[in-house]
Amino acid sequence: MHLGVLTSGGDAPGMNAAIRAVVRAGIFNSCRVTGIRRGLLGLMAGEAQPMDLGSVADIIYRGGTILHTGRSPDFQNGQGLPSALEAVRALGLDGLVVIGGDGSARAALKLAQAGVRVVAIPATIDNDVPGSDDSIGFDTAVNTIAGSVDRVRDTATALERGFVIEVMGRDSGHLALAAGVATGAESILIPEFPTSMDLVCQRLKRGLERNKLHSIIIVAEGVAPAQVVADQVKEKSGMELRVTVLGYVQRGGSPTAADRILASRLGEHAVEVLLAARHGIFIGTRGNQTVECDLEQVARARKEIDQAMFRLAHVLSI
Ligand code: F6P
């Protein structure tokens, strides 16, 4: 069997561990494996490289993706599909593993509907892909944010200041919520459950009354820029907050052990599914289990916020 593997969309720490798992599991099962460079953009251009055991040596701990990645509006609007199909045919791929976020799952569905044997696995720091509790890269990003917020807290305490810290997540709040709980933030603002600025100000005031030395507000980029939140707080309460936008540091770095293990499990399972002549499948996790879902259902759904986690954040930030 000839398998292809590509990484698509925003890079996420652990993508390399997933590539390694696909390549090693494929070769273990006597498959030929080809890496497609630059995601769907590269697939449309037929950019391929043979993968042997050595090609994935020494990458399990590296961030980014050795295959590179790309965002491909041409594929999403359907224009790139014919060239991608032609490349799959010319390369003679019997199966393709797509490693990426929700946009990549939708692209994988387009390929599957056009007859390509595709399996998709979730890799995005946003953790917003339905059908899986976890996505590759999320744990690393939460840890990176936690480390940064801890540092900001040191200076916040020293100068008795409040901070608004903006984190990524595109239009979802999974990353902000997990980071907020992990850092004990006083307020966590996410797009799915809007919080009134009055409540944010009340919490800040309560903190001051209790002689708290600092306050941390985590805002998901999908809500508003951190500076806008700081301006609104100033306008409503007169309180001055400093602003930190964490930006792309959240996407880089060596993957945590949890992300490496997750990537290894999902990558290997993807190969097992293709070897069993099954496809159009998304592989994720539920609890501690590896689970399979219909790719179409995943591509059409939106991942809900974990309500228990949101409530936990509310209770603990009293
Ligand atoms: O999807 C991952 C992500 O980092 C989002 O959190 C963020 O909104 C987006 O990618 C940024 O995209 P780009 O790398 O294209 O600027």
Side-chain angles (χ1 to χ4, degrees):
M1 220 175 166
H2 184 190
L3 304 181
V5 56
L6 62 80
T7 49
S8 166
D11 56 291
M15 277 183 161
N16 279 327
I19 296 168
R20 172 182 177 271
V22 172
V23 171
R24 294 256 161 117
I27 294 173
F28 180 88
N29 288 289
S30 310
C31 298
R32 182 149 75 95
V33 187
T34 292
I36 313 293
R37 286 188 292 272
R38 295 197 304 125
L40 295 153
L41 289 173
L43 182 63
M44 291 185 276
E47 291 179 31
Q49 65 188 63
M51 306 294 284
D52 59 13
L53 291 177
S55 69
V56 290
D58 258 344
I59 65 167
I60 197 167
Y61 63 93
R62 290 187 201 274
T65 156
I66 58 161
L67 290 176
H68 302 271
T69 182
R71 301 205 187 274
S72 45
D74 273 359
F75 195 88
Q76 300 298 353
N77 67 25
Q79 281 173 22
L81 187 59
S83 39
L85 294 177
E86 175 50 29
V88 169
R89 198 200 53 75
L91 290 166
L93 297 181
D94 303 305
L96 178 66
V97 180
V98 172
I99 304 166
D102 56 345
S104 308
R106 285 193 291 276
L109 176 65
K110 282 206 172 90
L111 287 168
Q113 286 170 335
V116 181
R117 297 185 195 106
V118 185
V119 171
I121 62 181
T124 164
I125 65 163
D126 301 342
N127 201 20
D128 59 347
V129 191
S132 188
D133 289 350
D134 313 294
S135 66
I136 297 163
F138 176 64
D139 184 65
T140 306
V142 173
N143 277 283
T144 302
I145 296 169
S148 307
V149 173
D150 293 347
R151 286 178 177 82
V152 169
R153 207 182 268 281
D154 287 345
T155 179
T157 308
L159 282 157
E160 301 178 28
R161 278 176 178 163
F163 272 80
V164 188
I165 301 180
E166 180 184 320
V167 302
M168 282 186 164
R170 200 183 292 278
D171 58 353
S172 72
H174 303 277
L175 185 60
L177 180 56
V181 171
T183 56
E186 277 68 31
S187 289
I188 305 169
L189 310 183
I190 59 173
E192 292 86 345
F193 297 119
T195 305
S196 79
M197 274 303 137
D198 289 332
L199 183 60
V200 172
C201 294
Q202 262 174 36
R203 283 198 179 139
L204 287 169
K205 273 207 190 103
R206 257 194 342 239
L208 283 177
E209 282 156 18
R210 284 197 290 130
N211 296 325
K212 271 190 90 160
L213 296 180
H214 57 243
S215 282
I216 301 285
I217 299 169
I218 300 277
V219 59
E221 64 177 346
V223 171
Q227 189 59 57
V228 170
V229 174
D231 291 346
Q232 287 174 351
V233 168
K234 174 96 197 277
E235 199 184 299
K236 281 198 175 290
S237 68
M239 279 181 269
E240 289 259 11
L241 301 175
R242 290 289 199 273
V243 163
T244 297
V245 179
L246 291 181
Y248 289 94
V249 295
Q250 297 163 91
R251 262 199 350 222
S254 179
T256 57
D259 270 332
R260 298 178 200 191
I261 293 167
L262 176 66
S264 302
R265 273 169 61 197
L266 300 186
E268 192 270 346
H269 197 94
V271 172
E272 292 294 332
V273 167
L274 289 170
L275 285 171
R278 294 186 299 124
H279 43 89
I281 289 172
F282 172 87
I283 300 166
T285 62
R286 193 166 309 122
N288 259 340
Q289 303 300 310
T290 303
V291 293
E292 296 173 10
C293 311
D294 179 42
L295 184 54
E296 182 159 6
Q297 276 178 15
V298 169
R300 300 212 186 290
R302 185 174 160 87
K303 185 169 175 179
E304 303 288 331
I305 284 287
D306 179 346
Q307 302 236 7
M309 179 80 107
F310 190 72
R311 188 182 163 276
L312 176 67
H314 181 73
V315 170
L316 300 186
S317 62
I318 184 174

